[in-house]
């Protein structure tokens, strides 16, 4: 599969190519496999275009975070969305590849400001040294040229995410539906998080939302909150909300 538009930039690091394509209205990030790693509407960089990314925003129906951690950057779509719509939040980004960071700033309008701190390091290494309880929300979207970073499926990874989160914290994982039932690390989420919800996304993605405490929110209340949040974000959450269900393998 090839990305839309014309290739306008390419660079390389030890993990392979980093490409940018442009079709006039949108920018696309690729890592050489033909898959879209990120998509940007140039006139609205804060608008999420991928369904899986929109489904990850369901977590904001349950919690309004002050400190947000992003494991994996890509073009920075998730970061731009949260940065723009939640101006009181502080954002921490962990990205393995320096050239991905450079590309996000140069071509994908990644925000610059005191509220956003970007560090280049391996996510697992960061979790080993990060301060316990220092993040209210973790977005984990670790993908590279060969697909999902396998450490995201390891039990110790989820345990360290749990430790990083505050008492009311949430972990949001972007996985694939074929991980359901076959990943020991994801099954281990039930050992740490008392409330887990999942959302299947057309195209094969599987979003997991895991909380450190249980929440008692009626379907009606969630629908009301989704309507308000949808107006704020500029896209509807109703379809993703209808797909949200309890966790099971």
């Amino acid at each position: 599969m090839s990305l839309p538009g014309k290739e306008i930039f390419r660079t390389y690091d030890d993990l392979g190519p980093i490409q940018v394509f442009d079709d006039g209205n949108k920018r696309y990030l690729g890592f050489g496999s033909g898959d879209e790693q990120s998509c940007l509407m140039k006139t609205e960089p804060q608008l999420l275009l991928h369904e899986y990314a929109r489904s990850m925003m369901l977590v904001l129906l349950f919690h309004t975070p002050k400190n947000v951690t992003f494991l994996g950057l890509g073009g920075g779509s998730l970061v731009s969305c949260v940065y723009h719509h939640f101006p009181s939040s502080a954002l921490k980004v962990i990205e393995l590849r320096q050239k991905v960071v450079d590309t996000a700033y140069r071509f994908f309008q990644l925000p610059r400001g005191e509220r956003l701190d970007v560090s280049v390091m391996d996510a697992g290494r960061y979790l080993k040294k990060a301060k316990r309880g220092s993040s209210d929300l973790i977005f984990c979207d670790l993908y590279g040229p060969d697909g999902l970073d396998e450490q995201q499926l390891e039990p110790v990874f989820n345990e360290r995410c749990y430790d990083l989160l505050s008492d009311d914290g949430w972990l949001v994982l972007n996985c694939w539906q074929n991980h359901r039932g076959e990943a020991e690390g994801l099954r281990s989420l039930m050992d740490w998080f008392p409330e887990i919800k999942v959302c299947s996304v057309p195209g094969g993605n599987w979003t997991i939302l895991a909380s450190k405490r249980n929440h008692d929110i009626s379907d009606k209340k969630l629908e009301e909150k989704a309507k308000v949040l949808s107006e704020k974000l500029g896209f509807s959450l109703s379809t993703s909300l209808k797909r949200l269900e309890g966790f099971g393998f």
Side-chain angles (χ1 to χ4, degrees), residues 204-240:
N205 292 82
W206 191 45
T207 302
I208 302 175
L209 289 70
S211 172
K212 292 184 74 169
R213 72 172 182 86
N214 286 302
H215 297 76
D216 185 16
I217 305 177
S218 68
D219 291 343
K220 181 179 180 180
K221 184 65 174 179
L222 283 175
E223 290 170 2
E224 292 172 352
K225 296 182 73 171
K227 182 178 180 180
V228 174
L229 184 58
S230 296
E231 292 176 356
K232 181 176 183 177
L233 297 177
F235 56 82
S236 175
L237 288 168
S238 62
T239 301
S240 293

Side-chain angles (χ1 to χ4, degrees), residues 8-217:
I8 62 170
F9 177 77
R10 180 185 295 210
T11 187
Y12 294 86
D13 62 12
D14 292 342
L15 295 178
I18 299 164
Q19 302 163 276
V20 179
F21 291 78
D22 192 305
D23 69 3
N25 297 315
K26 299 175 184 177
R27 290 258 170 90
Y28 306 88
L29 178 69
F31 291 154
S33 63
D35 294 331
E36 289 182 22
Q37 298 296 326
S38 285
C39 180
L40 166 84
M41 181 74 72
K42 293 192 289 186
T43 57
E44 295 183 81
Q46 74 280 2
L47 180 64
L48 293 178
L49 300 177
H50 287 150
E51 284 297 324
Y52 84 86
R54 293 182 174 187
S55 72
M56 296 175 82
M57 294 295 105
L58 289 172
V59 70
L60 300 173
L61 300 176
F62 300 92
H63 187 50
T64 302
K66 293 182 179 179
N67 296 287
V68 185
T69 301
F70 299 83
L71 302 179
L73 175 63
S77 299
L78 286 171
V79 176
S80 294
C81 179
V82 176
Y83 185 92
H84 178 83
H85 292 294
F86 295 88
S88 62
S89 62
L91 283 57
K92 174 73 175 179
V93 176
I94 305 300
E95 167 55 46
L96 178 64
R97 307 168 73 180
Q98 178 65 58
K99 289 190 176 182
V100 169
V101 174
D102 297 340
T103 301
Y105 277 124
R106 180 176 175 184
F107 293 101
F108 291 89
Q109 302 182 45
L110 185 67
R112 297 180 184 271
E114 295 181 355
R115 293 171 44 225
L116 176 59
D117 178 34
V118 180
S119 296
V120 176
M121 69 172 66
D122 175 74
R125 179 168 164 259
Y126 171 74
L127 290 173
K128 286 182 181 179
K129 74 179 191 64
K131 182 180 177 181
R132 294 172 66 100
S134 61
S135 185
D136 302 312
L137 173 58
I138 301 172
F139 287 107
C140 188
D141 192 12
L142 295 174
Y143 284 80
D146 299 320
L148 180 71
D149 187 330
E150 291 297 318
Q151 68 178 323
Q152 189 171 308
L153 304 178
E154 297 173 358
V156 67
F157 185 89
N158 294 314
E159 178 182 352
R160 287 171 177 159
C161 285
Y162 180 93
D163 290 340
L164 179 64
L165 289 167
S166 58
D167 291 341
D168 194 27
W170 284 79
L171 169 65
V172 181
L173 300 163
N174 175 31
C175 297
W176 286 98
Q177 291 179 31
N178 60 11
H179 292 129
R180 188 192 292 261
E182 63 181 48
E184 178 185 353
L186 294 181
R187 287 195 297 270
S188 74
L189 284 167
M190 294 182 287
D191 297 332
W192 298 99
F193 295 92
E195 181 174 1
I196 305 174
K197 300 179 182 297
V198 297
C199 179
S200 296
V201 180
N205 292 82
W206 191 45
T207 302
I208 302 175
L209 289 70
S211 172
K212 292 184 74 169
R213 72 172 182 86
N214 286 302
H215 297 76
D216 185 16
I217 305 177

